[in-house]
Amino acid sequence: MRYNEKELQALSRQPAEMAAELGMRGPKKGSVAKRRLVKLVVNFLFYFRPDEAEPLGALLLERCRVAQEEPGGFSISFVEDLSRKYHFECCSQEQCQEWMEALQRARNEIRKMTGKVCGAGGTGQFSLALLTTTVHSTGPAGAVRHLRGGQVPAE
């Protein structure tokens, strides 16, 4: 993915629809859950180390699926590769349900704003209306490069 790093970092500092410390596990086999501050802004899910102001990375919630994995947990996968899942562990089933609903709303709202349908047949370009950020899908779906350089870590 290509993106404007400064604009994404500025977006990560905007008020969030939801934010909480969750257990997060990346898509690599054998990865372990780590506590991350997870913040939903527009249709990006930013994740931070709990004691740092700059995000480690972000997931673009375009062409994604949100599913309950186990009681108190959910996953985000992307249409192009459903086996590549990011897992999140919540403190309760209620918190898990709130996150899943918020993520679905974020996906649906941005689809309404842009007139695009989430799924196959997209142009590969996603423009946030009202914002100047443009993300071009050229890498793994939904995975924005690590905001400090390199790929999104699969921690």
Side-chain angles (χ1 to χ4, degrees), residues 68-135:
Q68 179 135 12
E69 288 293 313
E70 61 232 13
F74 66 92
S75 67
I76 297 174
S77 58
F78 299 92
V79 172
E80 290 82 1
D81 185 0
L82 293 175
S83 65
R84 187 173 169 82
K85 289 183 182 179
Y86 293 83
H87 298 268
F88 297 87
E89 299 168 359
C90 301
C91 295
S92 67
Q93 181 58 34
E94 181 178 287
Q95 183 188 40
C96 179
Q97 198 61 41
E98 289 172 3
W99 271 100
M100 289 175 39
E101 289 169 5
L103 294 167
Q104 293 294 356
R105 277 193 311 273
R107 273 190 42 209
N108 293 338
E109 284 301 312
I110 208 67
R111 286 191 323 195
K112 288 177 192 173
M113 287 171 56
T114 62
K116 288 185 69 167
V117 175
C118 198
T123 63
Q125 181 173 343
F126 179 76
S127 184
L128 293 174
L130 310 177
L131 296 172
T132 57
T133 302
T134 301
V135 177

Side-chain angles (χ1 to χ4, degrees), residues 1 58-63 78 80 86 137 139-144 152:
M1 299 218 132
L59 299 176
L60 174 62
L61 301 176
E62 180 183 72
R63 298 185 301 216
F78 299 92
E80 290 82 1
Y86 293 83
S137 298
V144 174
V152 174

Side-chain angles (χ1 to χ4, degrees), residues 137-151:
S137 298
T138 58
V144 174
R145 287 189 188 277
H146 190 285
L147 295 180
R148 296 180 185 167
Q151 291 287 2

Side-chain angles (χ1 to χ4, degrees), residues 2-21:
R2 294 181 307 182
Y3 61 92
N4 183 311
E5 183 175 333
K6 287 182 182 181
E7 287 183 1
L8 274 178
Q9 287 180 343
L11 181 63
S12 76
R13 293 190 276 286
Q14 297 300 311
E17 180 178 335
M18 285 192 75
E21 277 193 33

